[in-house]
Amino acid sequence: LYAAAKLATAAVRRAEAVAASGRGAGPSVVSSAAAEAMEAAQAEASRAPLPDWVQGLVPLAVSATQAALPRYSPADMVVVFSSLTSLRAQLPPAWLELLWEYSQPQLRTLAPPELAALLSGVGAARARPPAHWESRLVEVMGARAKELRVQEIELLLASLAPTGIKPSREALQALLDAALDAQQRAQAEVEAAARAAGQPVPSPSNSGPGPTAAGLAAASTRTARRRGATTVGSRTDSGTKTVVLGDPTLNAAAAAADRQAVQLVRVVARAVAGFGYEPTKNWLEACRPLVTPALSSRVLSDTDRLLVSNLLRGLDSL
């Protein structure tokens, strides 16, 4: 079908680009890249008028897929549902009942980008799943929190918000805890790499003790020059200017921590704006030194930056 082909082509091209760039072509990276491409293609398809021949095929596709839905694999079920919703198909109650019935046992096994695509379809279809399906979804998200990367947590929360499904406070806190733990591990890797390179251990925040990230970069650059290493200017995905240091392990760890800190800001913003959830004071205090530098990133939206900045400023009055 028109939308399915478009989404699949975009996903494959993005995955191939990731592999060709040498940035790692593991399953989690490729699946995440595919999910981003599918989301962009869905957004484009939702704005563009559908050709008459496609509009004529939509009812036939709904009927044919309803008959075959019980035989689809979980991944195929998600692709079909996402494609039909991107085509603005009017899915009858019987179709959706089959989706809820056959997808519920598979929620635990869906990859995070597939689960996010399923939730995006639910939001696009404006279809409210039955209570038992929602309960299972929330249970699965809480149980899988520690398995998820920060980017995946942000993607799931962003996809869940438009559905109207309200996760429990316990599930939201489990996701926030997992994101914070991941960022703390990333910071620990930077500190370990700095020690191994003979550099001062960086502070995650300009307000904390010890050298800042900028100071670490400058010191590492000076050391690299003394050793005769070449430094090259570069720009990270988080929009901050960095330097490729003489020690590749330290540079990679610092860049990864910077990117993930931006994603952690977005996770907090999604939880607060999407579900009205405010993290505990202790959680925010642990989070503050890790996300403060990321609040100056150019890739953050003004809304996310302001929301999280206000949360952190509010700590001082508690």
Side-chain angles (χ1 to χ4, degrees), residues 76-165:
D76 288 343
M77 191 180 304
V78 171
V79 169
V80 168
F81 180 50
S82 298
S83 298
L84 289 175
T85 56
S86 71
L87 286 168
R88 303 187 282 280
Q90 297 298 314
L91 298 174
W95 202 104
L96 292 171
E97 287 172 7
L98 284 173
L99 175 69
W100 311 137
E101 178 183 354
Y102 286 97
S103 64
Q104 181 175 336
Q106 309 299 334
L107 292 175
R108 184 68 178 83
T109 62
L110 288 174
E114 293 170 343
L115 187 56
L118 176 61
L119 293 174
S120 295
V122 172
R126 294 180 173 84
R128 191 64 184 262
H132 60 83
W133 194 95
E134 293 186 8
S135 297
R136 177 59 178 163
L137 171 70
V138 172
E139 176 187 340
V140 164
M141 291 181 67
R144 295 181 64 180
K146 293 183 179 180
E147 306 171 9
L148 303 174
R149 296 180 299 135
V150 180
Q151 181 182 6
E152 293 168 339
I153 294 173
E154 191 269 328
L155 179 63
L156 287 172
L157 290 177
S159 302
L160 182 63
T163 67
I165 299 173

Side-chain angles (χ1 to χ4, degrees), residues 208-286:
T212 63
L216 173 67
S220 300
T221 301
R222 288 193 296 270
T223 301
R225 285 173 178 163
R226 284 197 299 270
R227 294 173 179 172
T230 301
T231 59
V232 182
S234 65
R235 195 167 296 278
T236 68
D237 292 342
S238 62
T240 56
K241 189 73 167 62
T242 62
V243 176
V244 177
L245 310 178
D247 187 282
T249 302
L250 175 55
N251 184 68
D258 285 347
R259 288 193 298 270
Q260 192 165 271
V262 171
Q263 293 162 0
L264 180 56
V265 172
R266 289 175 175 152
V267 166
V268 178
R270 299 296 171 269
V272 175
F275 307 100
Y277 184 74
E278 186 168 333
T280 65
K281 178 183 177 181
N282 288 342
W283 192 93
L284 286 172
E285 286 177 340

Side-chain angles (χ1 to χ4, degrees), residues 297-308:
S297 171
R298 295 178 297 103
V299 302
L300 277 178
S301 70
D302 291 339
T303 301
D304 289 350
R305 188 187 344 270
L306 182 61
L307 194 158
V308 176

